[in-house]
Amino acid sequence: MLLVLALIATGVFLYLALQRLEEAREEIQHQQELIDEKETFASAAQELQSTAAQFDGLPYATLVEPDYYASLIKRGWTHRWDADAAARDTEEVREATAGLQETLAAAQAQASSNATGTVFESLTDSLGTGYVSTSLDTADAACEQDVWGCVSGEDPFTIHYDNAETNGQPYMNDFLRTGLAYHEYAHVLQMTNPGPTATAAEAFGGDWETMADCYALTYLPGWTLDHTIWVSDYEYWEVSVGYGYTCNADQAQVVRDWVSQLGYHHEPISQ
């Protein structure tokens, strides 16, 4: 009887020992999964930061989302003990990185080609370094007003040029097209940098149009709002462009100060 009890006790002991070993093995496996997932997340987070850093200095603050990227990366600490949650976080980080990479690739393609074969696209690509697109269409319809060109708040990275007006008028020349491109590009900068723009626009009574005129007057040498366009030895057109107000020196300085602070400035994100 004592022998049987001893054998039972030994069996129970072995069972408990094996159970503890299995629990220990599962815990080791779980810890290894956590370590692997943390390393995977850290690698993905580093790639996101490296990709975002390629946008540093571009004058479009809304092109990247640093607050969102910071929230993603900080989740790595929040979910450090949850491998499944960390895996989901990793996937979101990779998706954000892929979005930035697609934007970079599209900009490179845009800057290296001129699909429309027009002066406008050449100007837009030069000013926007590939991040701003050109659309030759009916700008009046696109922006619901009678204009030579416009930028819509729904798509601030596309400049619409009214093809009939800008290519169908006898007085239109490349210098007028250049001034128009500068004015519309100013709208791109305004819409993609709402905070600094709201402050700078105060110097223009809140009028973004006269501010955009001032941008062209400040950065395009020789530009004016009134032009005499000769179309023959004895015929000419008097053409007025813009919104009828030439900014003063103080306002031009406001525009320069505004431009100097625009865009995305990359800062490393830590957990």
Side-chain angles (χ1 to χ4, degrees):
M1 185 65 179
L2 290 175
L3 179 60
V4 172
L5 291 174
L7 290 172
I8 292 174
T10 301
V12 170
F13 174 79
L14 289 173
Y15 171 78
L16 293 174
L18 290 172
Q19 187 176 40
R20 291 194 182 103
L21 284 173
E22 179 61 19
E23 290 172 353
R25 186 191 68 78
E26 291 178 354
E27 179 61 24
I28 291 171
Q29 182 178 355
H30 174 67
Q31 291 298 323
Q32 187 59 53
E33 289 174 355
L34 279 174
I35 292 171
D36 293 344
E37 198 54 58
K38 286 177 182 177
E39 291 177 349
T40 301
F41 177 85
S43 177
Q46 182 56 52
E47 185 180 12
L48 173 59
Q49 295 206 64
S50 298
T51 306
Q54 296 180 60
F55 292 82
D56 185 53
L58 286 174
Y60 319 110
T62 60
L63 194 61
V64 293
E65 301 178 87
D67 291 343
Y68 174 56
Y69 307 149
S71 71
L72 286 179
I73 290 174
K74 291 180 187 303
R75 288 183 202 172
W77 174 258
T78 304
H79 296 152
R80 64 191 181 280
W81 304 118
D82 188 335
D84 291 337
R88 291 192 296 271
D89 295 341
T90 298
E91 185 59 29
E92 286 194 57
V93 168
R94 286 173 173 165
E95 289 175 359
T97 302
L100 290 176
Q101 291 170 340
E102 289 173 6
T103 299
L104 286 169
Q108 291 170 358
Q110 176 72 33
S112 62
S113 67
N114 188 330
T116 63
T118 62
V119 171
F120 278 130
E121 184 167 352
S122 177
L123 289 166
T124 302
D125 289 348
S126 176
L127 289 167
T129 62
Y131 291 93
V132 185
S133 300
T134 300
S135 178
L136 282 170
D137 51 29
T138 307
D140 292 4
C143 293
E144 300 180 348
Q145 52 185 318
D146 184 14
V147 291
W148 283 4
C150 68
V151 179
S152 168
E154 295 179 358
D155 181 11
F157 289 100
T158 298
I159 297 178
H160 298 268
Y161 297 102
D162 194 282
N163 191 43
E165 288 290 332
T166 57
N167 289 315
Q169 300 298 334
Y171 52 75
M172 186 60 66
N173 60 25
D174 284 349
F175 191 49
L176 288 179
R177 293 185 180 96
T178 302
L180 174 59
Y182 271 73
H183 176 99
E184 297 306 331
Y185 181 66
H187 286 322
V188 172
L189 296 178
Q190 288 170 329
M191 292 180 186
T192 57
N193 296 275
T197 297
T199 300
E202 293 176 2
F204 301 87
D207 188 341
W208 283 26
E209 295 295 352
T210 54
M211 180 180 170
D213 275 346
C214 192
Y215 176 87
L217 290 163
T218 302
Y219 284 96
L220 178 57
W223 182 246
T224 179
L225 300 184
D226 297 299
H227 301 260
T228 299
I229 309 296
W230 288 88
V231 294
S232 72
D233 290 341
Y234 55 88
E235 291 181 310
Y236 63 87
W237 291 79
E238 295 290 350
V239 181
S240 294
V241 297
Y243 289 80
Y245 175 74
T246 297
C247 57
N248 58 40
D250 289 341
Q251 290 170 318
Q253 187 59 50
V254 168
V255 167
R256 292 189 190 94
D257 294 341
W258 169 68
V259 169
S260 70
Q261 61 181 305
L262 298 183
Y264 171 66
H265 305 286
H266 180 71
E267 296 181 2
I269 302 169
S270 62
Q271 293 182 341

